[in-house]
Amino acid sequence: MRILFSFIALYAISYNYVTAQEKNFEQWSSKAREQTQSVPVAGALTVEAFGAIGNGNADDTQAFRTAFTYARDHDLSVINLSSGKKYKISNNIDVDYRGQGQLERRGLQLNGNGASIFLSVKNGNNGYFAFNILTDDRPQQNTKFNINNVWFYTDNVNRPNGIYNSHACFTTINNCVFYQLGTAINFQYAGMCRFDNCYFWGCVDGIKTYRCKDSYIDGCHAFACDKAFTIEGVNNAGSDGNICVVNSVANSSTQYNLRMKGLYTPMIANCVLEQSPMNLFVESCQFGKLSNVFSGPGNIAFVSTGSDLTNDYWNIANLDAQGKIELGGLKFSNVTGFKVHGVGSANNEANAAIQLSNCDEVNFTALTIRDSRDQLAWSMAFAPNCSSITISNLNADRSILMKGSSSQRPGRFFLTGSIINGIVITEDKQYKASEIFEYIDSGSNTFHSNKPNNH
């Protein structure tokens, strides 16, 4: 009897899971059809013309391969999937334009029209990419590849991958869903690419790019991935710049929501990042801009990998963070309209809401540090290698700590126009002449000043 009840419960859970997935797909597919059915496309191919069935059971891998090869060899540019169909593939589909020389605006547009592609596994090959966009290794390979309105999904056991692109510029992935994949999107050495209005649900990696420039992530949402968005370069202004993540959401990632490394001129704007151990991780990126970002429960960290690879020339404005902030190697930067709250002491070595190390010439304005938990010791803690820090209009619920002795700190700290529930303290109880603090202790409503003439 117990076995019977267990079987019935397991069947009910499986049925509800499949039903929910099918319902989500049907709603999205209907919307996608409405957006594309009024757009006429002349001279388009269909995968059905090359033998695809699209019933969710027949293997359509070879039909896709033949259609892509035919389009390339006959210089055709559009392939249409059929609305509402469910195509099954079991291995990679190469969109292979290698050996074609400089393409000069050649490429392919795949219109999903609300169709879905099920990535099945055959002979243990769960590491393939559904679509491999392959071009010659040439600078500025001026192509035009677009994939639109497709729902990619797996069986939540095996994890094949979505779309891979090597060197093809001007490539756009638009209005696609990636459900329970390994790596949904992986772009390398490409430029002028866009990822618009895509959804990543339960993938290992949402979007990964390496040494891509002049590219956008716009209006995307990653939910319950391991790593939502990973954007990396090698700190080369000529090859790894102008990367924008805007109007996007990432939440409930098990490792991090957004990681940037080795980029010039990255921009993060109008985004929500929350419910991850690390909401935002920035490593050795320069000339960056972060504005209008809500970082829910989870941490933010800026780190530098060496004395020459710091986070220089950042403008950070209107950041609302509900987790600890680690600012490492932040230099020649401005931070304004910054609110930090809900910081706990767990996994917080400095026991501070904001921790600064190796920071130089940073200006903080309109900074609020509120309602920390677990009797957090400090609102801000400065490592001995920080210098030339100005803070104005600070409202803090805890004291500020200057680590190290006066002989260790480079100095030049200024704090004015601020209200602190506590004091500004140094570990050796000594101050340099260049360390000037004027503030009101909100606990005692007492004005404090350590200007030289008041020593």
Side-chain angles (χ1 to χ4, degrees):
M1 183 63 69
R2 289 183 179 177
I3 295 175
L4 178 60
F5 283 143
S6 298
F7 177 80
I8 293 172
L10 179 61
Y11 176 81
I13 292 172
S14 301
Y15 176 80
N16 289 336
Y17 174 82
V18 173
T19 302
Q21 199 276 334
E22 293 291 334
K23 183 177 180 181
N24 287 330
F25 166 70
E26 289 172 0
Q27 293 173 346
W28 172 85
S29 179
S30 175
K31 182 178 179 181
R33 288 198 301 271
E34 292 174 0
Q35 293 177 343
T36 58
Q37 64 186 1
S38 62
V39 181
V41 181
L45 301 175
T46 66
V47 290
E48 281 78 8
F50 297 89
I53 304 301
N55 63 3
N57 295 314
D59 193 331
D60 296 318
T61 305
Q62 192 55 47
F64 274 84
R65 287 174 172 171
T66 306
F68 281 119
T69 301
Y70 185 92
R72 180 199 65 196
D73 294 345
H74 292 81
D75 206 18
L76 300 175
S77 59
V78 177
I79 294 178
N80 281 333
L81 305 185
S82 295
S83 174
K85 284 202 172 182
K86 300 175 183 178
Y87 301 95
K88 176 182 176 181
I89 66 173
S90 59
N91 214 322
N92 58 286
I93 312 297
D94 288 343
V95 187
D96 194 349
Y97 282 70
R98 292 173 296 184
Q100 305 288 309
Q102 187 70 46
L103 294 179
E104 295 298 341
R105 292 170 294 282
R106 284 185 62 202
L108 191 69
Q109 177 170 306
L110 177 69
N111 293 321
N113 297 310
S116 68
I117 296 178
F118 173 63
L119 281 66
S120 69
V121 171
K122 191 174 183 179
N123 299 325
N125 184 16
N126 65 344
Y128 69 87
F129 276 87
F131 297 126
N132 290 332
I133 302 173
L134 305 172
T135 65
D136 291 336
D137 180 3
R138 291 172 179 245
Q140 299 296 312
Q141 182 64 283
N142 295 327
T143 63
K144 188 170 177 58
F145 292 97
N146 298 314
I147 298 176
N148 309 310
N149 300 319
V150 185
W151 181 297
F152 299 86
Y153 69 105
T154 68
D155 56 10
N156 198 26
V157 176
N158 300 289
R159 294 293 185 92
N161 307 294
I163 301 170
Y164 173 82
N165 171 27
S166 175
H167 293 94
C169 298
F170 302 104
T171 297
T172 300
I173 312 300
N174 178 61
N175 195 29
C176 290
V177 176
F178 301 87
Y179 186 85
Q180 301 287 359
L181 272 60
T183 298
I185 293 175
N186 186 353
F187 275 35
Q188 299 182 5
Y189 302 100
M192 290 67 74
C193 297
R194 293 189 64 104
F195 312 99
D196 292 328
N197 305 315
C198 291
Y199 192 87
F200 307 90
W201 187 348
C203 299
V204 176
D205 287 280
I207 295 176
K208 289 178 63 176
T209 70
Y210 178 71
R211 302 211 69 177
C212 295
K213 64 177 181 177
D214 304 328
S215 296
Y216 269 80
I217 297 173
D218 190 352
C220 292
H221 184 185
F223 171 73
C225 297
D226 289 350
K227 296 165 283 186
F229 305 129
T230 307
I231 308 170
E232 296 190 356
V234 294
N235 221 289
N236 183 320
S239 300
D240 309 307
N242 305 332
I243 304 295
C244 298
V245 182
V246 297
N247 308 318
S248 295
V249 175
N251 59 309
S252 301
S253 299
T254 61
Q255 295 187 35
Y256 56 78
N257 284 324
L258 174 58
R259 178 188 175 100
M260 289 182 163
K261 178 180 178 180
L263 304 177
Y264 267 67
T265 60
M267 183 174 74
I268 309 164
N270 306 328
C271 291
V272 175
L273 309 169
E274 62 175 348
Q275 300 290 345
S276 176
M278 184 63 66
N279 284 330
L280 174 63
F281 188 89
V282 177
E283 181 177 349
S284 301
C285 295
Q286 300 184 348
F287 297 94
K289 183 174 182 179
L290 185 151
S291 61
N292 302 323
V293 170
F294 175 79
S295 174
N299 301 324
I300 292 175
F302 283 66
V303 302
S304 57
T305 52
S307 59
D308 296 328
L309 295 175
T310 52
N311 297 298
D312 295 352
Y313 301 103
W314 272 82
N315 282 310
I316 300 174
N318 302 325
L319 170 63
D320 188 336
Q322 294 184 21
K324 73 174 181 179
I325 311 295
E326 298 181 60
L327 300 178
L330 191 66
K331 298 189 175 184
F332 322 119
S333 300
N334 294 310
V335 181
T336 185
F338 195 169
K339 182 180 180 182
V340 185
H341 53 108
V343 182
S345 59
N347 300 314
N348 189 341
E349 183 178 350
N351 206 13
I354 301 177
Q355 309 163 26
L356 287 86
S357 63
N358 193 28
C359 291
D360 186 58
E361 295 189 37
V362 182
N363 302 314
F364 292 91
T365 306
L367 174 59
T368 302
I369 307 173
R370 308 293 289 179
D371 49 71
S372 299
R373 305 192 310 270
D374 307 330
Q375 295 300 311
L376 198 68
W378 315 103
S379 284
M380 302 180 75
F382 295 84
N385 56 11
C386 294
S387 65
S388 298
I389 307 295
T390 66
I391 303 173
S392 61
N393 299 322
L394 165 67
N395 197 324
D397 278 357
R398 297 287 187 272
S399 297
I400 293 175
L401 172 65
M402 311 293 294
K403 293 184 178 181
S405 66
S406 59
S407 61
Q408 291 176 308
R409 294 192 304 277
R412 298 187 299 279
F413 290 89
F414 299 90
L415 184 146
T416 60
S418 298
I419 300 176
I420 302 174
N421 186 17
I423 59 175
V424 178
I425 189 171
T426 65
E427 286 186 332
D428 65 351
K429 306 296 191 296
Q430 301 293 319
Y431 298 90
K432 287 188 172 184
S434 61
E435 297 173 345
I436 300 174
F437 305 105
E438 291 186 322
Y439 61 93
I440 296 175
D441 181 350
S442 62
S444 60
N445 199 29
T446 302
F447 175 75
H448 294 264
S449 175
N450 68 330
K451 283 187 176 182
N453 60 0
N454 288 337
H455 280 180

